[in-house]
Amino acid sequence: MDTDMPKTAIEYIHSLGRFSGKPGLHRIRALCAALGNPQDGLKFVHLAGTNGKGSTACMTAAVLQEAGYRVGLYTSPYLMQFHERIRVNGLLIPDGELTHLAERVAVACESLSLPEGESIGEFEFTTALAFLYFAAQECDIVVLETGLGGRCDATNVIARAEVCVLTPISRDHMAVLGNTVAEIAAEKAAIIKPGCAVVCADGQPEDAVRVIRRVCQAAGAVWYDGSRDRTLLRCDITGSAFVQEGQGYTVAMPGRHQLQNAGTALRTVAALRERGWKIPTEAAVRGLARARMPGRLERLRETPLVLLDGAHNAAGVQVLCSTIDEMLKMRRLHVVMGMVRDKEYEYCIYELAQRADVFYACAPAAEERALPAQTMAAVAERSCAEVYDCESAAQALAKALSAAAPRDCVLVCGSLYLIGEAEKILRTRQKPAE
C-alpha cells in the first residue's frame, strides 16, 4: 500500500466506508476479475438470513473440519479483532497475510474503472481479500456468510455453491432490504444458485418459505428437507443435548435457538453428503460439541454469571427474552445494554428492561450510529424501576459487577459493537468460564 494510506491494513480497510455506491455486484465483480477471480476455484456453503447465520456457519465449519477437510470460514462482523472474519480450520488469518493481501487488493482497486462517484467499500474489499486467502490456503470448502441481504451482497459474486442455507428471516435493515418479510426473503433467497442444494431453517414465516421455494424452483435448485426427528434431552445455560435419528449430539452454545441452528447445520451436512462429501456421523457429533461463537449467550464468568449476547434486532431480542424466561428466571438480572439508532430499538429496550431488575444504559462505540445512553434510559424507565444512564460501557459494566450478588446474572446485550467492547474489558479483568 502506498505512503498516502494509513499505517495498517486494517485502518485502510476501515477507511473505505460501509457503502460505496449504487447497490449491485458490478464493483465486486470488477475487483475479483482484476484479481483473477480467486472465488471460481473454491467450493462454498453460502448462508443468508436475519438471525442465526454466524452460529450455523460456525457449526457447519466445525463439522467439516472434524471430517478432515480444510475449511475456510468467512463471517461478519467481528467482536474483538478484524482477523476473526477470515479463518481457516479455526485459525485467524495472520497479520502478515492480511497486510500482504490487502496490498494486492488495493493495487487492483486502483486499476478499476467504476461509475462516477463509486468506489470499493470495506465489505467488498474484505470479501475479495478473503477469497484470495482461501484460494492460497487451498481450502477444500468455504463456509461463506453474507454481510447484508443476499442479492447485492458482495459474497453473491460466487457463481456456484454446494449448498445455499437460509437461516431464520425477519424484519431488519428495512431501509435496504424491504419492509415486509416476503421482500426481505426475496433479497436473501437471491443467493440460491442453479443446481445447488437449498436448506431452509425450521420456523421460518410462511411468507418467507413461499418466496424461498419459488426462487429455488426458478433456479433449478434442489430443496433439501432432511430429518427433523429430534428428541431433546437437556437445554440449560450450559448448552443442550438431543437425539436425532438415533444419534446423540451436544451443543455448547445455550438457548433453544441454538438447537434450531444445530438442526440447520445437520441438514446442511446431510445435503453435502448427498453431493458426495464424506462426512462421518462422528465428525458431526464432535463438530457440534466443539463449535463456539463469541457473543452468542457467551459465558465469561460464573460468580456472578456474566453472559454476552449480540441480540440487536426484534427477532433476536425475542429469542433472547425466551431464553431469559426459561433459564434465568431464578436469578436477579442486571442488564447492560447499548444499541445503534438504525434498529427497532424501542421494542428491544422495552422487552429487556421489562425483565431486568436493574438496567444500565450505555452508548456503544459505533460513532454516529450509536443511540445515546440518555435515550435508552428514557425508554427503559417505562418498564424497569431501577435504571442507570452510564457514560460508557466500562462504567456500566463496573456498576453492574459491583452491584451483582454471587447468584445474580449480568447480561450484556444489544449492539455487537458493545459486545466487542465488553469482551475486551471483561477478559482483561477475569478468567473465562470453564
Side-chain angles (χ1 to χ4, degrees), residues 34 48 84 138 219 224 259 342 361 387 394 408 414 420:
E84 296 168 24
E138 300 181 337
Y224 188 86
L259 287 168
D342 54 0
V387 176
D408 290 358

Side-chain angles (χ1 to χ4, degrees), residues 262-289:
T264 306
L266 287 175
R267 286 210 302 282
T268 302
V269 166
L272 286 167
R273 288 193 188 108
E274 291 280 323
R275 299 176 70 88
W277 294 81
K278 307 298 183 186
I279 309 170
T281 299
E282 296 77 14
V285 172
R286 292 194 303 270
L288 286 189

Side-chain angles (χ1 to χ4, degrees), residues 103-180:
E103 290 171 350
R104 282 188 59 187
V105 179
V107 169
C109 288
E110 293 173 0
S111 73
L112 302 181
S113 296
L114 298 176
E116 186 176 353
E118 295 195 12
S119 60
I120 296 297
E122 176 176 348
F123 190 73
E124 293 162 331
F125 189 103
T126 306
T127 301
L129 188 156
F131 289 148
L132 283 176
Y133 184 62
F134 295 141
Q137 289 292 306
E138 300 181 337
C139 290
D140 298 308
I141 192 165
V142 174
V143 180
L144 186 70
E145 179 190 341
T146 56
L148 175 62
R151 182 174 61 88
C152 295
D153 189 81
T155 62
N156 206 29
V157 72
I158 67 172
R160 296 173 301 279
E162 295 290 294
V163 185
C164 289
V165 183
L166 281 303
T167 66
I169 293 171
S170 60
R171 295 173 75 246
D172 196 11
H173 298 290
M174 283 85 77
V176 179
L177 302 179
N179 290 317
T180 69

Side-chain angles (χ1 to χ4, degrees), residues 58-116:
C58 180
M59 292 175 185
T60 303
V63 170
L64 287 166
Q65 184 180 339
E66 289 292 339
Y69 292 108
R70 190 161 179 77
V71 184
L73 177 62
Y74 184 60
T75 59
S76 62
Y78 65 91
L79 289 184
M80 294 184 68
Q81 56 175 317
F82 182 89
H83 306 65
E84 296 168 24
R85 299 175 64 171
I86 304 170
R87 304 174 187 238
V88 173
N89 279 9
L91 299 178
L92 279 58
I93 182 173
D95 197 56
E97 286 293 318
L98 180 65
T99 299
H100 167 66
L101 293 175
E103 290 171 350
R104 282 188 59 187
V105 179
V107 169
C109 288
E110 293 173 0
S111 73
L112 302 181
S113 296
L114 298 176
E116 186 176 353

